[in-house]
Amino acid sequence: MASRKSLFNDNVRDFQGINSVNSEIDDTIQEDPEKFILLNNGITIVCDEFLTSNRAITLRNPQIVNGCQTSHVLFYANESKKQLNRIPLNIKKIATKDLDITNQIVRGTNRQTIVYDEAFEATKKFHKNLEEFYNAISTDYDRLYYERRSKQYQHNPRIKQTQKINLRVQTQYFVAMFLNKPHLSHRHESKLLKDYANTIYQEKQSLLPYFVSALTFYKYEEFFREGIIEKKDFYSFKAHLMMVFRELISGSCPDINSEKKIDAHCQSILTVLKNSKLLKEYIEKSTEIFTACKNAWTKEMGKSYYGMKDISDFTDLLLSRSGISGGTECVVEIDGETRFKGVVQKIIIDRYGNRCGFISRIPDDIFFHSLQNQKLDFTALEGKYVSYSVDINSRNGKPIAIDVKYEGS
């Protein structure tokens, strides 16, 4: 008898281990097997279709949508050589290809143990697609697993707890990072799912920003564990830092329903997340901006530090000092090369009659000169977006923009 875990993909939870309810199921198997059908709700199987004959039933694409705990307890009882031949079991078979009906069945039948409403969210097609997307894309980054069902990966010792992103983390930190609501992200996921029911996890949305928020969360957690960022100063403001991090790299967030725009926005962030040097630089920038805003909030504005993280005005202060409009550059990858993108702030002529200027960047605008950019047309370049690489000026040791290319208005 082999275990087929895929049978439970549509269930709200994976096997929860030997908890009180599952212990009672096992006790009934051993002590009162004849009463099993009276004390247990049995198993509900949804399939595309089933065919019956005198001796067999054929199920096409079966899913056990209720009875995950019962199935596992019976499986392990059989593995331990317990007698199951005296156990009557109620099995309900439902044939349907309608996903809405399947989800209604899942919700209606999962009442033997407490299942909170937010657990049913993960049975939607969006989350199944997101789980598969994690598996496909994260092989190019840090390997993450979307644990859309409770304890889904607990039986795989090769998967570390830090690699698992559950529905709570996915919801709270996506709301913080891509909806600019870090002051609300501490709320329970059930509340956020209700408040943003028509905003997040929508069928036609790109999956990329959801993965990007998870990977950013993972990276910040890693920096905290390694002591690169002080936990006591910043950990409770992690959601705020993640929002600032995104704004620093890509600027104001486009509509998350615009797949092309949000994917381009996310690609800049992924470029940084994949480059350890840039990542450290931008994470440190996020803490610097946060610290500056905290000082402005408490010292210049005279407001209290306590409760600051739950106030939308503090979020607005962070946004005003961290986006492209505030003078930062955007990181892009062009033909496999990491480049920067910013707005030309000013064009001037040096004392030798050569054109040069400055491109927006944090903490200081970056200088560029016609001598290092001889093919660049400086005409009407002010206020325009350019991409560039960075070198170090041999005279003063400061960064200088080279290979500057016009990218549009």
Side-chain angles (χ1 to χ4, degrees):
M1 182 176 177
S3 173
R4 291 180 58 192
K5 299 290 285 183
S6 60
L7 281 170
F8 307 98
N9 282 347
D10 284 351
N11 209 286
V12 293
R13 298 174 300 184
D14 207 312
F15 181 51
Q16 299 295 292
I18 305 303
N19 56 22
S20 59
V21 172
N22 292 337
S23 293
E24 287 179 13
I25 295 174
D26 190 59
D27 290 343
T28 303
I29 291 172
Q30 298 184 71
E31 299 169 9
D32 243 341
E34 293 84 358
K35 293 183 180 178
F36 194 88
I37 197 169
L38 301 175
L39 303 176
N40 187 276
N41 288 339
I43 296 172
T44 302
I45 303 174
V46 173
C47 57
D48 290 348
E49 62 176 331
F50 62 84
L51 306 172
T52 60
S53 64
N54 289 336
R55 299 180 60 84
I57 298 175
T58 302
L59 305 179
R60 299 195 187 283
N61 192 24
Q63 282 288 304
I64 296 176
V65 299
N66 177 247
C68 177
Q69 311 309 311
T70 297
S71 300
H72 278 79
V73 173
L74 287 170
F75 174 84
Y76 291 121
N78 183 72
E79 290 284 285
S80 60
K81 309 301 181 184
K82 294 176 183 176
Q83 294 299 313
L84 304 182
N85 58 343
R86 294 167 56 199
I87 296 175
L89 180 65
N90 180 37
I91 299 179
K92 184 188 298 182
K93 305 179 295 295
I94 302 170
T96 179
K97 294 182 181 180
D98 190 315
L99 290 177
D100 289 335
I101 292 176
T102 299
N103 283 334
Q104 289 173 10
I105 294 167
V106 171
R107 180 178 288 273
T109 55
N110 278 280
R111 296 301 181 191
Q112 182 175 341
T113 55
I114 296 174
V115 179
Y116 296 102
D117 284 345
E118 59 269 18
F120 294 107
E121 169 71 28
T123 66
K124 294 179 180 177
K125 185 180 178 182
F126 183 95
H127 296 278
K128 296 174 187 177
N129 291 341
L130 185 58
E131 181 183 352
E132 293 174 4
F133 187 76
Y134 266 56
N135 294 336
I137 193 173
S138 69
T139 54
D140 294 330
Y141 302 92
D142 293 84
R143 187 66 170 96
L144 300 182
Y145 298 83
Y146 182 36
E147 192 178 43
R148 66 180 180 86
R149 297 181 298 124
S150 173
K151 299 188 178 181
Q152 184 173 348
Y153 298 108
Q154 72 165 350
H155 305 295
N156 189 338
R158 293 176 297 177
I159 300 176
K160 298 177 182 178
Q161 191 62 36
T162 54
Q163 293 176 282
K164 303 172 188 177
I165 303 295
N166 59 26
L167 180 65
R168 177 188 63 80
V169 168
Q170 182 69 85
T171 303
Q172 290 178 334
Y173 290 94
F174 180 83
V175 167
M177 187 173 178
F178 282 91
L179 299 189
N180 292 346
K181 304 291 184 184
H183 52 283
L184 301 180
S185 63
H186 65 281
R187 295 181 177 179
H188 195 277
E189 63 268 30
S190 61
K191 173 67 172 168
L192 293 174
L193 288 169
K194 182 179 179 181
D195 290 348
Y196 295 100
N198 298 317
T199 305
I200 61 176
Y201 303 137
Q202 301 301 299
E203 196 69 27
K204 295 181 180 179
Q205 287 176 349
S206 169
L207 301 170
L208 192 58
Y210 292 91
F211 174 74
V212 167
S213 64
L215 184 57
T216 304
F217 170 86
Y218 174 83
K219 287 298 189 181
Y220 269 91
E221 286 285 290
E222 188 175 58
F223 271 55
F224 280 119
R225 285 197 304 273
E226 295 176 358
I228 299 172
I229 312 175
E230 283 289 338
K231 260 192 169 185
K232 63 181 180 65
D233 294 330
F234 301 107
Y235 194 77
S236 61
F237 291 94
K238 182 169 51 186
H240 295 74
L241 294 177
M242 287 173 58
M243 179 193 72
V244 171
F245 177 81
R246 180 194 56 69
E247 287 273 327
L248 279 171
I249 298 167
S250 290
S252 298
C253 189
D255 183 354
I256 61 173
N257 296 302
S258 175
E259 184 174 1
K260 186 175 181 180
K261 290 181 179 179
I262 195 68
D263 280 359
H265 189 81
C266 288
Q267 286 298 337
S268 296
I269 303 168
L270 286 173
T271 300
V272 172
L273 289 169
K274 203 171 183 177
N275 184 316
S276 58
K277 183 179 178 181
L278 281 175
L279 176 63
K280 187 172 185 293
E281 178 183 341
Y282 276 92
I283 283 184
E284 288 177 346
K285 283 181 183 179
S286 73
T287 62
E288 290 169 8
I289 287 177
F290 173 84
T291 300
C293 288
K294 181 190 73 173
N295 291 337
W297 181 266
T298 56
K299 296 176 182 178
E300 297 172 23
M301 302 167 69
K303 297 188 177 183
S304 173
Y305 171 83
Y306 301 100
M308 182 176 72
K309 71 183 183 71
D310 303 330
I311 299 175
S312 62
D313 285 350
F314 183 67
T315 296
D316 293 340
L317 178 62
L318 287 170
L319 287 169
S320 71
R321 300 198 180 191
S322 57
I324 279 183
S325 59
T328 187
E329 80 282 16
C330 170
V331 184
V332 294
E333 190 169 297
I334 301 175
D335 296 329
E337 179 190 0
T338 298
R339 291 174 60 80
F340 300 89
K341 189 175 179 182
V343 177
V344 175
Q345 299 295 303
K346 182 166 51 175
I347 297 294
I348 57 177
I349 298 176
D350 69 11
R351 58 182 175 175
Y352 302 107
N354 298 311
R355 292 179 182 269
C356 51
F358 294 89
I359 304 168
S360 60
R361 198 171 195 246
I362 280 182
D364 299 306
D365 292 347
I366 190 168
F367 178 75
F368 70 112
H369 197 284
S370 57
L371 291 178
Q372 287 85 23
N373 300 279
Q374 295 183 13
K375 295 181 180 180
L376 182 65
D377 182 3
F378 279 72
T379 306
L381 203 56
E382 282 190 9
K384 301 296 192 299
Y385 275 100
V386 293
S387 68
Y388 60 93
S389 297
V390 176
D391 200 359
I392 300 299
N393 190 321
S394 58
R395 293 182 177 180
N396 56 24
K398 292 183 178 181
I400 184 172
I402 61 171
D403 191 22
V404 177
K405 295 178 180 178
Y406 172 67
E407 295 290 342
S409 301

